[in-house]
Amino acid sequence: MTIQDTFEQIYTKWVSFSEKIQVIQNLSYRITGALHEPLPKQWTAFNHSLNSGMYYHYRCQGYVECLLVTNAYTPYSINVWINELVYPAAKNFKQAMMAFEQLKSNPDFAKLQDFAELKQQLNEFQQIAMVVIQSANQLNTTTPLFKM
């Protein structure tokens, strides 16, 4: 398999990851609208980390698109993508998941219908994220591997 084939597979996963993120973000907005002030600290932390992860995620996607168009698959450009974009996105998403874990025991959230859907979507999200991280870890030649 060539590096271009590898990045085409990564890009396909990345697009499905983007779609999943959009669903999660929409659910998050609906849940926030259903809550009363003040919002729980864990919910705010979840949303902050999710939004920070999304920032890096969409930059990652654009970088992969550039690599695909330019065929500039140098070790340097790949490692910049991994270390400056993929790993920071993963770190923020991991923090969002930790905040979400704390919310599962909150009765105000457990009773919301959208919360059950959000749990399901986040489970699917984690599965895609793990595949993306495994791909990045396989291509990484410079730093310690990221662990989800």
Side-chain angles (χ1 to χ4, degrees):
M1 179 180 295
T2 68
I3 191 74
Q4 177 150 3
D5 292 337
T6 300
F7 269 91
E8 285 177 6
Q9 287 179 351
I10 289 170
Y11 183 70
T12 300
K13 284 289 180 198
W14 216 268
V15 170
S16 65
F17 202 37
S18 294
E19 292 167 355
K20 187 62 58 184
I21 288 170
Q22 190 60 52
V23 170
I24 290 168
Q25 185 180 38
N26 289 341
L27 285 167
S28 172
Y29 289 156
R30 286 201 313 250
I31 291 170
T32 299
L35 295 173
H36 300 287
E37 295 286 335
L39 297 175
K41 187 169 76 169
Q42 297 91 350
W43 183 247
T44 302
F46 167 76
N47 279 294
H48 173 74
S49 295
L50 180 69
N51 288 330
S52 295
M54 287 171 41
Y55 166 79
Y56 285 105
H57 166 80
Y58 288 115
R59 290 183 66 202
C60 287
Q61 184 173 335
Y63 200 97
V64 170
E65 290 168 353
C66 289
L67 290 176
L68 287 170
V69 168
T70 63
N71 292 318
Y73 304 109
T74 66
Y76 178 77
S77 65
I78 292 169
N79 284 315
V80 166
W81 173 69
I82 292 167
N83 295 303
E84 300 297 324
L85 299 172
V86 174
Y87 288 171
K91 177 183 167 213
N92 281 286
F93 287 140
K94 186 176 181 178
Q95 289 173 341
M97 296 306 292
M98 290 186 316
F100 187 78
E101 283 299 315
Q102 295 174 351
L103 288 166
K104 286 181 179 179
S105 61
N106 185 321
D108 291 334
F109 284 91
K111 67 183 178 187
L112 296 172
Q113 182 178 358
D114 284 333
F115 192 70
E117 175 67 15
L118 182 59
K119 283 197 302 192
Q120 174 63 34
Q121 293 296 326
L122 285 170
N123 286 336
E124 294 172 18
F125 168 88
Q126 276 189 303
Q127 292 171 0
I128 298 169
M130 288 170 51
V131 171
V132 170
I133 289 298
Q134 287 172 348
S135 297
N137 283 343
Q138 290 172 350
L139 295 168
N140 184 355
T141 61
T142 60
T143 60
L145 305 180
F146 189 87
K147 295 182 181 172
M148 284 298 279

